Amino acid sequence: MASSSLPPSVPSQTAAAARFARIPSSVSLKSTSSSFKIPHGQQQQGQLENLHLVSLSKQGKLKEARDFLKQMDEAGVLVNPHSYESLLEACGKMASLSDGKLIHRRLGNPSRYLENCVLKMYCACESFRDAEKLFDKMLEKDVASWGILISGYSEKGRLKEAFRLCTRMIELGIGLNSTVFTNLLKSLSDPSVLEIGEQLHSLVIRTGLSTNVSVITAISNMYVKCRQLQRAKLVFDQMVETNAVAWTGLMMGYTRAGKQKDALALFIRMLKEGVEMDQFVFSITLKACSWLEYLNLGRQIHGYIVKLGLESDVSVGTPVVDLYIKCSCFDSARRAFKRISEPNDASWSAIITGYCQIGEFEKSLQIFRSLRLKDMAMNSFIYTSITQACSALADYNMGAQAHADAIKRGLVSYVHGESAMITFYSKCGRLDYANQAFESIDEPDTVAWTAIICGHAYHGNASEALKLFRRMQSSTARPNEVTFIGVLTACSHSGLVTEAKLYLESMSREYGVDPTIDHYDCMVDAYARAGLLQEAYELVTNMPFEPDAMSWKCLLGGCWIHRNLELGEIAAENLLQLDPDDTAGYILMFNLYGSHGKWDEAARVRSVMGARKLIKELSCSWITVKGKVHRFVVGDKHHPRTDDIYRKLKELNGSITDVESVHLTEEDVSFGLPERKQLLMEHSERLAVAFGLISEPNNVPIVIFKNLRACKHCHDFAKHVSMVTGRRITIRDSCRFHHFHLGKCSCDDYW
């Protein structure tokens, strides 16, 4: 049978362009049919009208096209085959079956070419009953007709029907052409259909198409998708002629299988053989470099891309940005991003992730707000990064808005997004919402379980954290290193020393997770907080790792709590050898010497700090009221309601009498002792609490965030305020959450 070809009445591109010039743009591009009138009785060929009809169909304006068809009928203007083709193509793209059937009815006795167009439309609309009905009625089917129906079935994954038609073709003696083979092979996309792919491969060889580039490329890619990389490589190596699709197909197979080095080896081979490269080749190669963190090779490829003038292309520029971010070269990433002519959602996601990595969370939020304002396309990775930024900033309002927006757009990532939400709500003090987010997940993975366990651990809910860990053990998820950090932290913050020891010992034996220095530091912390300082010291000196600064700092913290000067001096000496700029070590030793009345030694500690020009980060507390963040520092008098705040603070401080016997805390080391008592009264969290009391309704909990660890006196102050006012107060310091109510704290003073 003769194959179909374009109808002779289709105008050439040059002629069409010339005729389009005669149609006003307001008519051809944006007006409805009512603004384009056809003189009655017009008997001309109708090129202008048909071009307008094509324009409407290409814009997807099917209603306007229907109205215009009526006008053409009334005016006696014939619709040419090219117009029908465009209309049918538009119906298929928009899955408008009703419009497609209307066009089909208009055709009467169409040519074989137009019948094939109708057949393609029915397949695109997934109306295979109508497609089969038309196919069976066709008197002159050609290979293209068979191919259209077979492709329609195979593209929709209906392989049984596709191969039924293939069998019929073979039985009728109709040869399968390269298009049929290519479409069938493209539909085979997982190992379950490997046997069918092998049979097709054999049939290709028997039909003499084994030298056809498109068919052999499809075979190679079929083996890639069926995870048969060795066979794909064998087919690829035997190709007489290769194309970019074949190279990229095999490279993608390697990267998906985690064989990035093999993908890069193919790229080097392409360079040596002088194969023409396109954007997809560079994209895959750069992604492989990112995965392996091959910065030098990535820079060389970037240079080659610049030489070819492709750096402004989004499909190439985005992987360049991602490479530099993965390799911690943010300045290079920022420069590469600026050169992308039209960044897409993946580009914005990459640069937002980069800003989050370097701690510029406010900048990432600024970009996000700009994207929302411009109604730009988003993806789930953007929302996950923004949620993480809001977690770091404890920006509840922005995070909640982003969460609602992600749900509305259907862009909550199942892999990381839901877990990021759990962490966000936990870090913002809304453990109730974190629980809701967790319980809404059908099958929580390891990351989700870890997020909720750590959330309860840092809120001091040890019993709930361990209960969740036991639930996790009954699920299909397996704990990882971070999970055990959460479990051990929960034990440490609640004095569960025996339980912590058992969990540490069971990690490798029962769960196959090898403990790291971080896990041993958690155990040191558990011993030290509980006053088991000798056990903590022995663990530090005998554990299977060289102690790090945190090991000695945990021990020193315990020595300060339990006033053990002898071990404290040992811990401080080792800590400051490993990290001589750790201000916390000096402060703890200053306090420890002061608690023993050794003021000369305390003065020397302070002198060393001065000589090293060490300045403790200024204490800052903040509270969000009515969507606005209010920040306070020690002795702050810059707030618009300063007088009201200090009046309330004076009222609250008046009933507290324990400020005489105080010790210097982390945030007070830079101030002189004569000013100590007054400064204590004006600590940043006290100012924030006072502001919260005069600003929030009585039924609203007061939630304060602080950048440093809370001191004992402000902790007692918060307990006192919760008792005399009856208000619930939550303070998140640098270590954990404290929930105050009726004079008690969730930590039971164990912190």
Side-chain angles (χ1 to χ4, degrees):
M1 291 185 183
S3 62
S4 64
S5 59
L6 283 172
S9 58
V10 177
S12 69
Q13 289 184 346
T14 304
R19 293 185 189 117
F20 256 112
R22 295 168 56 193
I23 302 180
S25 60
S26 60
V27 173
S28 63
L29 297 179
K30 55 189 177 186
S31 70
T32 61
S33 59
S34 61
S35 63
F36 190 93
K37 300 295 184 182
I38 302 171
H40 284 278
Q42 183 177 355
Q43 297 297 325
Q44 60 176 323
Q45 196 173 5
Q47 293 97 332
L48 204 62
E49 292 79 8
N50 277 283
L51 285 171
H52 181 56
L53 196 58
V54 170
S55 173
L56 291 172
S57 62
K58 288 188 179 299
Q59 296 174 74
K61 295 182 176 180
L62 295 179
K63 182 181 182 303
E64 290 88 335
R66 288 198 309 270
D67 294 339
F68 193 67
L69 277 171
K70 290 178 183 177
Q71 288 194 40
M72 290 177 70
D73 291 342
E74 291 170 1
V77 178
L78 296 176
V79 181
N80 68 34
H82 182 55
S83 298
Y84 279 125
E85 179 190 6
S86 295
L87 286 166
L88 289 165
E89 184 179 351
C91 293
K93 285 181 178 178
M94 299 178 69
S96 181
L97 182 60
S98 58
D99 285 310
K101 286 186 174 182
L102 178 67
I103 303 300
H104 184 193
R105 286 195 295 270
R106 286 181 57 92
L107 291 175
N109 295 312
S111 65
R112 183 175 58 198
Y113 175 78
L114 282 179
E115 278 189 313
N116 284 342
C117 291
V118 176
L119 191 63
K120 191 179 296 184
M121 179 273 297
Y122 282 133
C123 290
C125 293
E126 297 188 49
S127 182
F128 289 106
R129 180 177 295 179
D130 290 310
E132 288 269 11
K133 188 176 178 181
L134 172 62
F135 183 78
D136 291 338
K137 286 182 179 179
M138 289 174 67
L139 298 176
E140 295 186 14
K141 303 182 190 69
D142 57 9
V143 177
S145 310
W146 289 90
I148 289 167
L149 193 53
I150 290 171
S151 298
Y153 277 126
S154 60
E155 285 173 7
K156 303 302 179 183
R158 299 176 64 166
L159 299 182
K160 184 177 180 180
E161 291 90 339
F163 283 99
R164 171 178 56 80
L165 286 169
C166 285
T167 304
R168 277 182 61 189
M169 284 186 74
I170 295 170
E171 289 173 351
L172 293 171
I174 304 171
L176 275 67
N177 64 9
S178 60
T179 303
V180 173
F181 276 117
T182 302
N183 286 323
L184 283 172
L185 288 161
K186 284 180 180 177
S187 68
L188 306 178
S189 57
D190 63 76
S192 65
V193 291
L194 174 61
E195 187 177 347
I196 297 173
E198 291 172 333
Q199 292 175 18
L200 278 177
H201 187 183
S202 176
L203 190 57
V204 165
I205 295 171
R206 292 202 302 272
T207 53
L209 290 172
S210 57
T211 57
N212 184 287
V213 178
S214 62
V215 174
I216 297 303
T217 298
I219 289 173
S220 177
N221 288 342
M222 178 271 296
Y223 282 127
V224 167
K225 288 183 281 189
C226 292
R227 300 175 196 167
Q228 297 290 315
L229 290 177
Q230 286 187 336
R231 297 171 77 171
K233 179 69 163 48
L234 182 63
V235 171
F236 177 83
D237 288 338
Q238 292 175 346
M239 290 176 69
V240 177
E241 179 186 350
T242 57
N243 56 18
V245 178
W247 287 93
T248 55
L250 190 55
M251 289 174 73
M252 285 182 66
Y254 282 134
T255 55
R256 286 173 181 169
K259 297 183 176 182
Q260 279 75 18
K261 291 182 179 179
D262 290 325
L264 293 178
L266 266 183
F267 175 75
I268 301 300
R269 181 175 156 188
M270 289 180 77
L271 286 173
K272 290 179 178 178
E273 295 183 16
V275 178
E276 186 176 349
M277 300 185 190
D278 58 16
Q279 294 94 322
F280 300 106
V281 173
F282 288 116
S283 176
I284 295 167
T285 306
L286 287 164
K287 287 174 183 176
C289 290
S290 297
W291 180 269
L292 297 168
E293 296 186 7
Y294 279 8
L295 178 60
N296 290 334
L297 179 58
R299 285 192 188 279
Q300 293 177 49
I301 295 170
H302 184 196
Y304 189 38
I305 290 168
V306 172
K307 184 179 179 181
L308 295 175
L310 293 173
E311 63 177 336
S312 63
D313 189 293
V314 67
S315 62
V316 178
T318 300
V320 171
V321 174
D322 190 57
L323 164 74
Y324 286 129
I325 287 171
K326 294 277 176 61
C327 295
S328 302
C329 296
F330 187 70
D331 287 338
S332 298
R334 188 157 34 193
R335 287 193 294 270
F337 178 82
K338 289 179 179 178
R339 294 189 184 104
I340 301 174
S341 57
E342 295 182 6
N344 60 14
D345 59 318
S347 315
W348 289 110
S349 176
I351 201 68
I352 287 172
T353 300
Y355 277 114
C356 288
Q357 281 184 3
I358 63 172
E360 292 191 28
F361 301 110
E362 291 285 3
K363 181 63 177 177
S364 68
L365 295 184
Q366 181 184 336
I367 293 173
F368 176 69
R369 291 189 189 99
S370 175
L371 294 176
R372 286 183 69 191
L373 192 64
K374 296 175 183 176
D375 199 27
M376 301 282 283
M378 304 268 202
N379 60 34
S380 60
F381 300 106
I382 290 176
Y383 282 101
T384 300
S385 294
I386 292 303
T387 303
Q388 292 167 347
C390 291
S391 295
L393 296 171
D395 190 338
Y396 175 76
N397 289 328
M398 188 68 227
Q401 289 177 38
H403 186 191
D405 201 39
I407 293 172
K408 181 180 177 181
R409 295 174 183 240
L411 292 175
V412 179
S413 168
Y414 174 75
V415 182
H416 299 296
E418 292 172 327
S419 301
M421 291 298 175
I422 296 169
T423 301
F424 161 69
Y425 284 120
S426 297
K427 288 190 173 182
C428 288
R430 296 307 305 261
L431 202 53
D432 52 343
Y433 286 171
N435 285 326
Q436 288 179 30
F438 174 76
E439 296 298 344
S440 69
I441 304 174
D442 292 331
E443 293 185 15
D445 60 3
T446 299
V447 180
W449 281 106
T450 300
I452 194 64
I453 288 170
C454 289
H456 280 280
Y458 289 108
H459 277 262
N461 298 340
S463 60
E464 185 62 26
L466 298 182
K467 180 181 176 182
L468 284 162
F469 181 68
R470 288 190 290 272
R471 277 181 60 190
M472 182 185 185
Q473 291 174 287
S474 302
S475 73
T476 55
R478 299 289 296 171
N480 61 17
E481 293 179 2
V482 185
T483 312
F484 280 103
I485 293 291
V487 169
L488 293 170
T489 298
C491 294
S492 174
H493 285 185
S494 300
L496 303 176
V497 178
T498 303
E499 290 84 347
K501 186 178 180 182
L502 290 173
Y503 282 122
L504 181 66
E505 292 172 348
S506 68
M507 283 178 61
S508 178
R509 183 179 68 249
E510 296 183 25
Y511 303 99
V513 179
D514 294 328
T516 66
I517 184 69
D518 296 323
H519 299 101
Y520 277 91
D521 286 347
C522 286
M523 192 66 232
V524 173
D525 188 54
Y527 279 133
R529 286 173 184 267
L532 301 172
L533 299 178
Q534 192 60 41
E535 287 86 342
Y537 176 67
E538 289 176 2
L539 182 60
V540 170
T541 54
N542 294 315
M543 62 184 176
F545 301 98
E546 279 294 317
D548 61 5
M550 184 57 69
S551 309
W552 294 109
K553 189 187 291 189
C554 290
L555 177 58
L556 180 56
C559 292
W560 156 240
I561 293 170
H562 300 284
R563 306 299 192 267
N564 188 318
L565 181 58
E566 182 182 353
L567 276 179
E569 288 179 321
I570 296 172
E573 181 182 357
N574 284 279
L575 166 61
L576 297 177
Q577 280 181 357
L578 292 171
D579 189 357
D581 294 333
D582 188 329
T583 55
Y586 295 99
I587 295 165
L588 287 170
M589 275 313 296
F590 182 97
N591 285 341
L592 193 52
Y593 280 128
S595 69
H596 285 77
K598 294 181 176 290
W599 294 108
D600 290 341
E601 288 84 346
R604 279 197 293 272
V605 171
R606 190 165 192 175
S607 175
V608 172
M609 282 192 73
R612 299 190 68 86
K613 297 181 180 179
L614 297 177
I615 300 174
K616 182 58 184 175
E617 181 183 0
L618 185 64
S619 171
C620 177
S621 298
W622 62 97
I623 179 173
T624 303
V625 175
K626 296 179 181 178
K628 183 179 179 181
V629 178
H630 300 261
R631 291 183 173 84
F632 301 90
V633 296
V634 178
D636 200 329
K637 289 183 171 64
H638 293 91
H639 195 276
R641 299 191 65 184
T642 292
D643 292 342
D644 296 331
I645 292 170
Y646 275 85
R647 192 178 300 113
K648 187 67 176 178
L649 196 58
K650 184 177 180 181
E651 172 191 327
L652 295 169
N653 284 336
S655 58
I656 301 177
T657 59
D658 68 336
V659 298
E660 297 298 331
S661 57
V662 296
H663 299 284
L664 193 59
T665 59
E666 289 183 23
E667 60 190 11
D668 302 310
V669 74
S670 59
F671 300 109
L673 288 175
E675 302 169 327
R676 177 70 179 92
K677 181 175 178 179
Q678 183 59 36
L679 288 169
L680 179 60
M681 294 294 191
E682 299 173 1
H683 274 190
S684 60
E685 59 261 56
R686 295 194 184 208
L687 297 173
V689 168
F691 176 70
L693 289 172
I694 64 176
S695 303
E696 294 279 31
N698 289 334
N699 61 340
V700 175
I702 296 169
V703 182
I704 311 289
F705 298 90
K706 186 178 180 183
N707 63 332
L708 302 178
R709 184 177 63 85
C711 71
K712 177 183 184 301
H713 308 288
C714 289
H715 186 267
D716 291 342
F717 170 81
K719 287 198 299 181
H720 172 76
V721 172
S722 72
M723 181 175 64
V724 298
T725 64
R727 301 287 292 271
R728 291 183 180 272
I729 301 172
T730 298
I731 297 178
R732 191 194 88 176
D733 66 12
S734 60
C735 297
R736 60 173 292 164
F737 276 89
H738 298 270
H739 299 274
F740 302 93
H741 183 52
L742 299 178
K744 293 185 178 180
C745 179
S746 58
C747 71
D748 289 329
D749 294 336
Y750 192 87
W751 59 287

